[in-house]
Amino acid sequence: NGRQYDARGELHDWWSEDTVANYDTRSTCISDLFSTYSIDDRHVNGKYTLGEDIADAGGLKFSYQAFLKKQPRSQMDKRIFFTSFAQTWCSVQRRKSAVSSVLSDTHAPSKFRVLGGLSQFPGFADAFSCPAGAPMSPIKRCSLW
């Protein structure tokens, strides 16, 4: 992964031990979350999809920050932002194909990319007034950065 390469692109583990330990703890939270999702009793391999799950979370976080910074946003604007994010992954997949993707794809199935990403993002819960402890506003959230 990227942490093993320095600013010149050379293979060199340049993170401090504390940073590595913190990353490992936080990324395990994400991996464990995605491993709870399943299709036909076949669980997503959260370790296998971790890189993409982290990328989705980072993209969501930083695009939302840019969205808010551009101009004042209403509650409805915020809801539309998150709805647009979710619609990005809107798809229909045959059960056999979905099971196959759970077993072989480095991306979590689309449904779980939405549920996993948005449930861990406080801005979503705020925009939709999800009460603490609700499925889309869990008490314990995973956050890498």
Side-chain angles (χ1 to χ4, degrees):
N1 63 37
R3 83 167 202 230
Q4 297 170 326
Y5 295 89
D6 63 19
R8 293 180 303 218
E10 295 177 12
L11 185 60
H12 172 66
D13 197 359
W14 56 278
W15 286 5
S16 71
E17 287 182 26
D18 287 343
T19 300
V20 171
N22 194 28
Y23 174 86
D24 288 343
T25 298
R26 290 170 174 249
S27 65
T28 297
C29 180
I30 295 168
S31 174
D32 290 349
L33 170 71
F34 278 84
S35 292
T36 67
Y37 299 133
S38 65
I39 296 175
D40 283 351
D41 296 324
R42 289 178 179 86
H43 284 265
V44 171
N45 181 340
K47 290 180 182 177
Y48 190 60
T49 64
L50 181 61
E52 297 298 333
D53 301 333
I54 289 171
D56 286 350
L60 178 61
K61 178 179 182 176
F62 298 123
S63 63
Y64 190 64
Q65 287 175 346
F67 172 76
L68 294 177
K69 189 175 181 179
K70 176 77 174 161
Q71 65 191 45
R73 302 295 184 167
S74 69
Q75 197 73 357
M76 184 57 67
D77 292 336
K78 294 173 186 178
R79 288 178 177 187
I80 291 170
F81 174 90
F82 292 115
T83 302
S84 296
F85 170 82
Q87 285 184 317
T88 300
W89 305 116
C90 186
S91 63
V92 176
Q93 193 174 28
R94 293 181 188 267
R95 175 100 27 222
K96 186 175 180 180
S97 174
V99 168
S100 177
S101 79
V102 164
L103 300 174
S104 62
D105 197 338
T106 58
H107 300 87
S110 298
K111 173 182 178 177
F112 305 133
R113 294 178 83 170
V114 173
L115 294 175
L118 293 180
S119 69
Q120 302 306 298
F121 195 68
F124 174 84
D126 292 342
F128 286 92
S129 303
C130 300
M136 294 304 287
S137 182
I139 301 298
K140 178 188 174 219
R141 287 190 172 110
C142 303
S143 175
L144 188 60
W145 308 115

